[in-house]
Amino acid sequence: MLAFFVLSFRGICRVCRKNIGACLLLFLGLLIVTFHVFYSVTLGNDLFLIIRFALIASLLLICYFVIPHTNYINLFLFFLTLQAVFLIAFEIYMVWNYFSQDYSEVRNFFRVNEWGDVYTFNGYFWKIQLKGNALIPFALFVSLIYFQGKKRFAYSVLFILAIIVAGNFAFVLGTALFLVLFYFLKNRLTLIDLTNKMTLMSILFLVFLIPVSSYLAEVVQIKSSHSNPVRIDQAVVLMENVGQQPFLGMGFGNLVNKATEFRDYSGSIYYELQALYFINQMGILFFSFFAVLHAAFTLLFIRYKLLIASYLSYILYSLFNPYLLDTNHIVVIVVLVSLKKVMDDGRSLLNTSVLQPKYIRVEPSSRPALIADKASDSL
């Protein structure tokens, strides 16, 4: 990841020269990160971890200034397509070969190598929770915005199946939020239309509530017995620890050396509530400024309602998983900035009287929907 930014350095400088105001905000953000590095050193935190988290915080701001390119979108979708195909194929393999057999060898293989986990509760459906799954819902969001026609449908079906196989309920919540936002933003509904649609959706929700309720009850029971208590425990531990320095935080690379009935946190740098861990390190003051900078850069460099909707949906499902404020988050921002460039190009094409031949030859099924659909309104 660091090599990518080194190779993109000249392009980042060009973007900075074109956006002086944003560049000044970036400089201020990096200055605060630098101050926090020295502050963390004075607290005696591990130097390697200080550098690690300072780099993440810095790159999360710098990535907005990367020169956008459609290759970033295409490469992202290519690798996530491979991940989705593997998940679905592996689900079929597990159903076919381990329906009523002991699968401990498979599960241990993935867990020993720290590639994730594979398990089932009933033998009929397997949860394939592997590294790389974090961006599958976001890949669905991107495919719905970027493509149209048969290609959009094919990608959507693939990624929805992969989301189901991944077995992460937060993925479902984030996807549901985006699909609702996507529908309303694409159709530009009036207040009367919105009221009618919401009424219809409420009726459909009630109709499907009974068959879905058993699934939701099972999920809630599982979460309440394991996942949710662990998250609550993490929140309590992190907030109690930062209580010593609530405004400035405990510094980059802070380690919470505490053991509870759920987990021994000694040496841990990954939490399901990763945002709280950043608050623990940066403190309320610095983290609030960090969040404001991200909001400002989102409005400047992402801008379009559909893209912001996909970003918010990603944040929703990442809040409950360790996918926020890490390399996954950086990839999301780079892809969204590139999508914004595609939407800008589509808007400029629609405002010209004569289309260039290269755009005329593009097939409707593979052309980005952003151009064909006249793009969504910007903020």
Side-chain angles (χ1 to χ4, degrees), residues 108-116 131:
N108 291 336
F109 174 77
F110 283 97
R111 299 182 74 175
V112 168
N113 290 283
E114 297 184 350
W115 292 343
K131 284 187 174 181

Side-chain angles (χ1 to χ4, degrees), residues 20-314:
I20 300 300
C23 188
L24 290 175
L25 288 176
L26 174 63
F27 177 75
L28 182 58
L30 296 179
L31 192 63
I32 288 177
V33 170
T34 304
F35 168 80
H36 211 67
V37 167
F38 288 106
Y39 169 71
S40 303
V41 171
T42 62
L43 293 176
N45 294 347
D46 183 86
L47 185 60
F48 173 78
L49 292 178
I50 292 173
I51 295 173
R52 174 193 177 94
F53 284 102
L55 271 176
I56 292 174
S58 300
L59 295 179
L60 278 166
L61 296 175
I62 296 171
C63 62
Y64 288 96
F65 293 79
V66 170
I67 291 183
H69 202 290
T70 53
N71 284 343
Y72 298 149
I73 305 171
N74 295 331
L75 281 172
F76 169 76
L77 289 174
F78 172 75
F79 286 113
L80 267 297
T81 298
L82 293 181
Q83 178 85 8
V85 169
F86 175 79
L87 285 183
I88 296 168
F90 196 64
E91 174 77 15
I92 296 171
Y93 171 80
M94 293 301 294
V95 170
W96 186 266
N97 292 280
Y98 290 91
F99 172 70
S100 58
Q101 299 179 30
D102 178 29
Y103 64 94
S104 58
E105 59 176 352
V106 177
R107 188 179 193 186
N108 291 336
F109 174 77
F110 283 97
R111 299 182 74 175
V112 168
N113 290 283
E114 297 184 350
W115 292 343
D117 199 0
V118 178
Y119 61 94
T120 181
F121 291 112
N122 52 27
Y124 296 97
F125 174 75
W126 297 80
K127 295 190 175 187
I128 317 294
Q129 299 180 342
L130 307 181
K131 284 187 174 181
N133 287 4
L135 293 174
I136 287 179
F138 181 69
L140 171 65
F141 310 159
V142 172
S143 64
L144 285 170
I145 297 172
Y146 190 55
F147 296 118
Q148 66 166 347
K150 294 180 180 178
K151 201 164 189 178
R152 173 192 283 175
F153 177 78
Y155 273 94
S156 300
V157 170
L158 176 68
F159 289 131
I160 287 174
L161 289 175
I163 289 169
I164 295 171
V165 169
N168 190 317
F169 189 62
F171 287 4
V172 177
L173 292 178
T175 300
L177 173 64
F178 178 76
L179 291 177
V180 171
L181 293 175
F182 179 81
Y183 176 79
F184 287 118
L185 289 173
K186 290 293 288 182
N187 288 282
R188 303 176 186 177
L189 301 175
T190 64
L191 182 59
I192 296 176
D193 291 334
L194 181 61
T195 304
N196 293 335
K197 296 294 183 182
M198 290 299 293
T199 302
L200 178 61
M201 290 180 64
S202 300
I203 295 172
L204 290 175
F205 174 77
L206 293 174
V207 170
F208 288 102
L209 180 61
I210 296 175
V212 173
S213 59
S214 58
Y215 167 74
L216 293 176
E218 180 182 354
V219 171
V220 170
Q221 183 178 2
I222 294 170
K223 295 289 183 183
S224 61
S225 62
H226 177 67
S227 299
N228 289 337
V230 170
R231 291 188 177 98
I232 294 172
D233 184 63
Q234 289 181 13
V236 171
V237 168
L238 289 170
M239 290 300 97
E240 283 181 350
N241 181 256
V242 79
Q244 304 171 39
Q245 293 286 348
F247 292 103
L248 296 180
M250 301 301 292
F252 287 130
N254 174 53
L255 298 177
V256 183
N257 295 315
K258 183 175 181 178
T260 68
E261 61 176 307
F262 294 99
R263 179 179 169 185
D264 183 0
Y265 295 96
S266 303
S268 296
I269 59 173
Y270 293 106
Y271 294 83
E272 288 183 287
L273 301 175
Q274 195 71 357
L276 283 183
Y277 184 43
F278 259 78
I279 295 176
N280 175 276
Q281 295 178 89
M282 301 180 73
I284 297 172
L285 182 64
F286 288 128
F287 187 83
S288 297
F289 181 77
F290 190 69
V292 169
L293 276 183
H294 273 276
F297 288 160
T298 297
L299 294 176
L300 285 169
F301 294 102
I302 297 176
R303 197 170 58 117
Y304 290 97
K305 292 178 182 178
L306 271 177
L307 302 186
I308 293 176
S310 65
Y311 194 15
L312 292 175
S313 301
Y314 166 77

